Amino acid sequence: MSAETVKDYDYSEWYENAVPTKPPVEVIPPCDPTADEGLFHICIAAISLVVMLVLAILARRKKLGDNQRGLTGLLSPVNFLDHTQHKGLAVAVYGVLFCKLLAMVLSHHPLPFTKDVVNKELWLILALLYYPALYYPLLACGTLHNKVGYVLGSLLSWTHFGVLVWQKVDCPKTPQIYKYYALFNSLPQIACLAFLSFQYPLLLFKGLQNTETSNASEVRLFDQIKAVMLVLIYCHFISFPSVFRFPLKLAISVVVAFIALYQMALLLVSGVLPTLHIVRRGVDENIAFLLAGFNIILSDDRQEVVRIVVYYLWCVEICYVSAVTLSCLLNLLMLMRSMVQHRSNLKGLYRGDIFTVYNCHRSIRPSRPALVCWMGFTSYQAAFICLGMVIQTLVFFICILFAVFLVIIPILYGTNLMLFRIIGKMWPFWLMLFLAVLIQHVTSRFLFIKKDAGTRDLNNRGSLFLLSYMLFLINVMVGVILGIWRIVITALFNIVHLGRLDISLLNRNIEPFDSGYRCYAHYLKIEVSQSHPVMKAFCGLLLQTSGQDSVSAQRMRDAEEGLSFCFFIASVHDNNMMKIYSLESSLFQSLVSNSKLLVFRTNSEPLD
Amino acid sequence: MSAETVKDYDYSEWYENAVPTKPPVEVIPPCDPTADEGLFHICIAAISLVVMLVLAILARRKKLGDNQRGLTGLLSPVNFLDHTQHKGLAVAVYGVLFCKLLAMVLSHHPLPFTKDVVNKELWLILALLYYPALYYPLLACGTLHNKVGYVLGSLLSWTHFGVLVWQKVDCPKTPQIYKYYALFNSLPQIACLAFLSFQYPLLLFKGLQNTETSNASEVRLFDQIKAVMLVLIYCHFISFPSVFRFPLKLAISVVVAFIALYQMALLLVSGVLPTLHIVRRGVDENIAFLLAGFNIILSDDRQEVVRIVVYYLWCVEICYVSAVTLSCLLNLLMLMRSMVQHRSNLKGLYRGDIFTVYNCHRSIRPSRPALVCWMGFTSYQAAFICLGMVIQTLVFFICILFAVFLVIIPILYGTNLMLFRIIGKMWPFWLMLFLAVLIQHVTSRFLFIKKDAGTRDLNNRGSLFLLSYMLFLINVMVGVILGIWRIVITALFNIVHLGRLDISLLNRNIEPFDSGYRCYAHYLKIEVSQSHPVMKAFCGLLLQTSGQDSVSAQRMRDAEEGLSFCFFIASVHDNNMMKIYSLESSLFQSLVSNSKLLVFRTNSEPLD
């Protein structure tokens, strides 16, 4: 840059003349809701503690009475390995928790008790443990299956729901990211809390939980006995279409994944679009000079330039929205396909098709890594969806941008035909490649392959060898196209399937190196080993023999009888078909909590 | 930018004072070799045509005599499906051809007859067909297996070799890309031509080809009979370690891939390094002002700034060279592993382990797509290696650059500790993640898994459920790390294995969508269906029974006897084990060219 060029680009004159027409940007003041966040949390934490204490006292008293679950039940209010239990409460609480996570990470003071901004990391870590503890009573209230629990649960969920709605009505606009971001962000949370506020009174209204569940359990028992009969009749091939239920963990994962999808889409849209809007609104005639500085002259008329730039910016917005929408739809589709895959994998493993599911022979037993993966499965699924959406949106945005500015706009307006000109200039090359491939296909079909008495064989070997020698160099060019295709298809497949844990993104020989698939494979192990429907059906049978109103000691003896009955059935059948495993039945454990029961599990191969 | 800031960055003063110290760049004039390329090609094309005519006349005369291969042999001088033939000539000619390709694409006038630069595409397409035709006689001279052919081959290869060496000695430096690029580029071509120039006289010197091959074929026959015996003894499990030979197509592919590796490495190094060298030599004190313009002030002393910039540029060079080297080494390693994989795949398919190789059940029969893939295999392999190297170099360069400037230089000099500062600031977060994972592993190991009588089962379910609820939010963070790890490992694996056709980069269920792997899978089909060693061994047996000096009619009758013998053996054995296929034996066809022979092929399953 010499002194002369500097003079050429001396914009000082029009900088002084031009009055920058700054668009009126809406300034949103920080809003403090009447129900102060800090104060509310102090109160609700105290209330939750009291509720937990009341529940604990109730649980102790009940344990002395006739209820089978005491404090143990209160400390593990959700039984992830029971497929038959009502999933609503657990799913809703997990949903509320996950909604809090994103709000927490984006907030300047993650823990509501403090306004300290310096040690945000430390407060965030505390918040990551505080919120699960805060929402714990919402889950625990349903555990005892009695009126007091439901009343407490209703009150607690109403409080949470009411205060949240009040806060949002008070302060619908916040200065954070986008004026309505905080409102939209809390919608799934409000929905989950509303569900809880509705569910607890419903449970209370339904009156005595015992009659309700006994009816349900009788229906369930019928299913289970049916399954047992099926086992006994079709010893080799177990079919239980009506008994299949999605595991609770999977149900939670799906709901959390949907919320993650919504939250990420909201963040992606509200994080970028308002800025683009502001930029578009702020475009004025100065843009013509600015572009001229970069030697880009769109038009001699300044107004025309403004119109073109605004139009292009609008195109960019459309591209971005399309990319986010595409990413959302793809992830939704992938979630649906995941569910189908989960179902078929679980049914396959129940049948014993280990090789089909894992592509190798594995033992379906709990192990340390399997348990760790099982614990984290829901979280990992949500995290993978979030990451996948960010990357997908980025890649799709770039691709759509290229498509719009290099293909669609040139076609519509006949300008910027660069890409078409390049492709047009290369037509002899494309024609050559096409002809070379065509020749190879046609000659292969009609000249080099001979059908003879139902078999196919090579013919005219000499010409085949000659052709493959002569087309060697042209085929290298074809190979470059194929290579680019390979890169594109691999990248696209992996980006689209990034959020799915049920399929590996790697080659079949090194599948365990894919952290997502490894987690899923281990997760399945635990699920299948702990909740085999045949095992559950036998537990149901034992349950029925033990009856509903006999004493504990009697129940224990019956369980022992049931056990020997199981062993009897197992020994009657071929030993190769039936294998006896030591398995804790989670369903049975909830009734006879002190005893450990050995039940058999079939490992038979399907007949097809 | 206001008028004031413009004044601040008004460099005109020192632009006028500073004398730009342009480094002396060596100017290489265009060099015309004494052996003019156009003239040489006119002469050599004419000579090649004459050679082909002489060979054709010889072939016709021979066909009337006792040789079995006539014009047909001349028109297909290379038998890709014969594993036992001498591979040297074909490999060398393919090598020469491939070397020409890159020189052709980069050259301004691809066809040596014309200096027309406007229609480069059209001339390139013609050149893609001209060069295979030009080098064709080099291959054809070895087909007739007689002295005249070898003499002509020697003369032709000497001419090619001599003129090429003469041209390179005449003009070692060219203005193209890098002064010695054209010289280095032609080294593999010189090597291949030297091999041909040595091989043809050697063949001539070895005297009568008949005695030479008959010895070889007797040794081969011994092998084949051994294989037959093995078939008869180990009917179920065929082991033929000593008989295994790499297919010719594969041998050519590997050599061409090595040349592609060399050429791409040369292009990548010579296309970038000289420019970087020139930039580094051109750094003077002006760089300090230039950087100040971007608000980057490395030091107050201008000389110091120059030293720092030169050092950084040197680092960039080192990074680039490392990236190219790493890419080369990785591709070499991948080629080696490919060979191992090819060997095991071929042996597996010979044994009938179709499921192990393809992960699905396929019929090993020639088909149209299979044949097209087989024809292009060598070319595709070379193209994939080239593409893979470019992408690998790019990715590795970026990664190494980041590692050097964000990790190594900061550690060595204690400056620019950005990355370490960010990581250091986030230590509570990392510690939390580490502790969460550790807790889950330790509790899984000691608390939640119970070993009982050789079996493992869950224990303390309540605490397990509680822990997995409490760690839900922290596990989402762990999931983000796992997701990033998944992306990195998938991308790295795919980039490293981009040049390998023998493994799929996609998930096991959609492997056929990977163009590279699809091509390889089809290629294997043709190779295996056409050159099963057991089939070849039987042909050898038939060959022996027909003897060496009996007349054609007698040989035909013996072939028929051999055929019935094959059928006899096949029928003796279990029909499920042995399947009778109609297969043309390429080896046998070379002897009894008119007859079509049905030979059996075992499709037995291995015992293990």
Side-chain angles (χ1 to χ4, degrees), chain A residues 237-510:
Chain A
F237 186 74
I238 306 157
S239 64
F240 33 86
S242 62
V243 191
F244 185 81
R245 283 191 185 86
F246 267 108
L248 174 60
K249 194 101 188 173
L250 219 49
I252 295 173
S253 300
V254 171
V255 172
V256 169
F258 271 112
I259 294 174
L261 198 73
Y262 171 81
Q263 297 277 17
M264 279 316 288
L266 182 66
L267 193 66
L268 285 169
V269 168
S270 60
V272 174
L273 270 205
T275 317
L276 278 177
H277 267 289
I278 290 167
V279 170
R280 185 146 63 92
R281 250 186 290 144
V283 171
D284 55 18
E285 293 187 4
N286 292 338
I287 197 79
F289 300 105
L290 192 72
L291 287 174
F294 291 102
N295 269 329
I296 302 167
I297 294 153
L298 294 169
S299 171
D300 291 333
D301 182 15
R302 288 185 195 176
Q303 281 301 321
E304 181 71 20
V305 171
V306 169
R307 241 171 294 144
I308 293 173
V309 170
V310 166
Y311 175 69
Y312 280 179
L313 281 174
W314 177 77
C315 287
V316 171
E317 265 175 59
I318 297 292
C319 290
Y320 187 75
V321 173
S322 311
V324 175
T325 314
L326 185 62
S327 162
C328 277
L329 290 178
L330 268 176
N331 271 304
L332 269 179
L333 184 73
M334 287 300 132
L335 264 178
M336 304 288 181
R337 289 179 62 93
S338 267
M339 298 317 291
V340 176
Q341 184 77 40
H342 290 322
R343 191 187 161 93
S344 84
N345 280 349
L346 277 171
K347 289 180 94 172
L349 285 177
Y350 288 154
R351 267 203 309 269
D353 289 353
I354 294 167
F355 192 84
T356 320
V357 175
Y358 288 123
N359 204 35
C360 62
H361 292 290
R362 289 180 177 218
S363 77
I364 303 289
R365 276 190 306 177
S367 63
R368 182 181 51 76
L371 207 57
V372 173
C373 289
W374 181 85
M375 281 198 255
F377 180 71
T378 306
S379 318
Y380 298 164
Q381 171 81 73
F384 278 50
I385 291 258
C386 292
L387 253 185
M389 277 195 72
V390 172
I391 288 169
Q392 280 166 23
T393 303
L394 201 70
V395 172
F396 294 157
F397 177 56
I398 292 168
C399 293
I400 296 175
L401 212 62
F402 268 92
V404 164
F405 281 93
L406 291 178
V407 181
I408 296 175
I409 288 183
I411 286 176
L412 287 180
Y413 297 91
T415 52
N416 276 325
L417 291 159
M418 276 186 303
L419 191 75
F420 292 97
R421 238 174 261 142
I422 292 169
I423 293 175
K425 217 177 158 191
M426 284 175 80
W427 70 264
F429 180 71
W430 301 119
L431 186 69
M432 174 197 71
L433 292 191
F434 174 74
L435 281 180
V437 173
L438 190 74
I439 286 170
Q440 290 180 68
H441 274 274
V442 169
T443 50
S444 293
R445 173 78 184 73
F446 294 106
L447 210 65
F448 301 142
I449 287 186
K450 176 189 60 177
K451 284 184 188 174
D452 207 7
T455 60
R456 271 174 296 174
D457 199 11
L458 291 194
N459 202 7
N460 295 318
R461 280 150 185 272
S463 315
L464 173 64
F465 299 156
L466 185 65
L467 189 72
S468 74
Y469 169 79
M470 287 306 285
L471 291 181
F472 169 61
L473 292 184
I474 295 178
N475 271 336
V476 176
M477 301 292 175
V478 177
V480 173
I481 306 288
L482 278 185
I484 293 169
W485 177 242
R486 184 185 212 197
I487 296 167
V488 169
I489 207 87
T490 310
L492 212 61
F493 178 83
N494 287 351
I495 287 167
V496 166
H497 291 80
L498 203 56
R500 275 182 79 170
L501 285 99
D502 57 316
I503 57 168
S504 165
L505 301 184
L506 288 177
N507 179 265
R508 67 180 130 103
N509 296 317
I510 54 154

Side-chain angles (χ1 to χ4, degrees), chain B residues 16 43 45 83 97 137 159 163 172 195 220 234 256 277 283 304 349 387 392 437 456 463 530 560 578 583:
Chain B
E16 276 157 20
C43 297
H83 295 193
L97 252 183
T159 316
V163 172
F195 175 81
R220 231 185 295 144
Y234 312 107
V256 169
H277 267 290
V283 171
E304 182 69 22
L349 286 177
L387 253 185
Q392 279 165 25
V437 173
R456 271 176 294 176
S463 316
Q530 298 299 311
E560 238 99 58
M578 303 265 187
L583 280 170

Side-chain angles (χ1 to χ4, degrees), chain A residues 368 441 461 486 530 584, chain B residues 368 441 461 514 530:
Chain A
R368 182 181 51 76
H441 274 274
R461 280 150 185 272
R486 184 185 212 197
Q530 297 300 311
E584 266 184 26
Chain B
R368 181 181 52 76
H441 274 273
R461 280 151 187 267
D514 183 339
Q530 298 299 311

Side-chain angles (χ1 to χ4, degrees), chain B residues 289-326:
Chain B
F289 300 105
L290 193 72
L291 287 175
F294 291 102
N295 269 328
I296 302 167
I297 294 151
L298 292 170
S299 171
D300 290 334
D301 181 16
R302 289 185 193 176
Q303 280 303 319
E304 182 69 22
V305 171
V306 169
R307 241 172 295 146
I308 293 173
V309 170
V310 166
Y311 175 69
Y312 280 179
L313 281 174
W314 177 79
C315 285
V316 171
E317 265 176 56
I318 296 293
C319 289
Y320 187 76
V321 173
S322 310
V324 175
T325 314
L326 186 61

